[in-house]
Amino acid sequence: MRRRLALAAVFLAAMPLCAGAETVSVDGHDIWYHVYGKPAADRSPILLLHGGMMNTELTWSGLIPDLAQDRMVIGIDQQGHGHSADRNGPITLDSMRADTLGVLDALGLSKVHVVGFSLGGMLGFELAAENPGRIASLTVISAPQGNDGFLPELVELNRNPTQTPSPELVERLPSPKDILGIRSSFQTQNPKGTGAIVPLMKKLRALLASDWGQSDKDIAAIPAPVLIVIGDRDFVLPAHALHLRDLIADSWLAILPDTTHMEAPQHPALPEMLRNRFQTTENP
């Protein structure tokens, strides 16, 4: 895995970009995005949505080299994450959806394959439910449709951060190495450096403690093909992943073995899994 990530870093530094790193102003606030690879007439672009407290590079560095070989790939740093500064007001799925659509509109993209991890997967469900015409396919990695799909102890921890997690939950939480990577990325990318970490964390906890998500009716109405991916030691309950699979008419479910929440987007089986799903969608 370490060698794979190192090769990915070299690839990202050397590969030609379609539009490079840019920002789009949405309601007077700049949202950062990066375009990798080149447009392909017969292949829809891929939109990557990162996890909470993370960013495009931290979440997707191992995946972008595989996906950008034959099509355009867009990574967006959401409000307060990565290169995008925070704005006044809460972080909501609706506000992130508006920011994301602002980037797609600026690029002139009518339809994309959406791949979202954790918070990005939550946003992916929001996009597919509210703007189904913009979605060629949806891949949701390690995200439920609402809090009922998470481990109950994790939901309680989000609502009460002073609670001491059980040893079983600790094994699934971000490792010290993961936390160091997050902290380092804020230091090098975020306009407010590491000082942005605590305010952003409070906003995300407020989101997770709210009545967020989609109903079974909304999920069942998603017309796009959907790939649901979780690790077998994830935050998402396996029974909930099966529930999602049963709700969505055109859906696949993959449960990655010996995989935690943070490991899921870097799993070595993921690139081929995604390519197969895109090919099936584009060449039925």
Side-chain angles (χ1 to χ4, degrees), residues 81-184:
H81 294 79
H83 297 84
S84 294
D86 201 356
R87 57 156 70 94
N88 292 331
I91 293 176
T92 66
L93 292 177
D94 189 62
S95 66
M96 289 190 293
R97 179 170 62 90
D99 292 341
T100 301
L101 292 174
V103 172
L104 296 183
D105 290 344
L107 290 170
L109 300 177
S110 60
K111 185 171 286 193
V112 292
H113 294 290
V114 175
V115 181
F117 166 63
S118 195
L119 178 68
M122 294 161 50
L123 175 55
F125 276 135
E126 179 81 3
L127 284 164
E130 299 295 332
N131 303 92
R134 308 296 293 269
I135 311 298
S137 73
L138 172 64
T139 298
V140 174
I141 304 170
S142 301
Q145 71 186 91
N147 272 329
D148 288 347
F150 275 135
L151 294 170
E153 186 183 357
L154 179 70
V155 175
E156 180 57 32
L157 186 63
N158 284 324
R159 292 172 175 165
N160 180 18
T162 62
Q163 175 180 308
T164 301
S166 68
E168 292 77 17
L169 181 58
V170 168
E171 290 181 356
R172 303 184 185 213
L173 292 174
S175 67
K177 183 179 178 181
D178 293 326
I179 294 171
L180 179 61
I182 291 171
R183 183 176 179 82
S184 297

Side-chain angles (χ1 to χ4, degrees), residues 49 114 120-130 138 140 143-146 212 214 218-219 222 226 228 240 244 248:
L49 303 174
V114 175
M122 294 161 50
L123 175 55
F125 276 135
E126 179 81 3
L127 284 164
E130 299 295 332
L138 172 64
V140 174
Q145 71 186 91
W212 64 273
Q214 292 77 38
D218 291 336
I219 294 295
I222 294 174
V226 178
I228 302 154
H240 181 71
L244 291 170
I248 303 167

Side-chain angles (χ1 to χ4, degrees), residues 142-271:
S142 301
Q145 71 186 91
N147 272 329
D148 288 347
F150 275 135
L151 294 170
E153 186 183 357
L154 179 70
V155 175
E156 180 57 32
L157 186 63
N158 284 324
R159 292 172 175 165
N160 180 18
T162 62
Q163 175 180 308
T164 301
S166 68
E168 292 77 17
L169 181 58
V170 168
E171 290 181 356
R172 303 184 185 213
L173 292 174
S175 67
K177 183 179 178 181
D178 293 326
I179 294 171
L180 179 61
I182 291 171
R183 183 176 179 82
S184 297
S185 71
F186 271 89
Q187 187 171 7
T188 58
Q189 294 186 14
N190 197 276
K192 293 190 176 180
T194 56
I197 292 177
V198 173
L200 179 62
M201 191 177 297
K202 289 180 178 179
K203 289 188 178 186
L204 292 180
R205 280 178 174 156
L207 167 60
L208 291 170
S210 69
D211 186 24
W212 64 273
Q214 292 77 38
S215 67
D216 281 0
K217 182 180 179 181
D218 291 336
I219 294 295
I222 294 174
V226 178
L227 172 60
I228 302 154
V229 182
I230 66 168
D232 63 349
R233 294 185 289 126
D234 212 313
F235 295 156
V236 179
L237 297 167
H240 181 71
L242 287 167
H243 175 68
L244 291 170
R245 193 275 313 272
D246 292 341
L247 277 178
I248 303 167
D250 187 1
S251 61
W252 293 356
L253 171 62
I255 299 180
L256 305 173
D258 193 27
T259 303
T260 65
H261 184 80
M262 296 295 290
E263 293 169 341
Q266 302 291 347
H267 196 281
L270 194 59

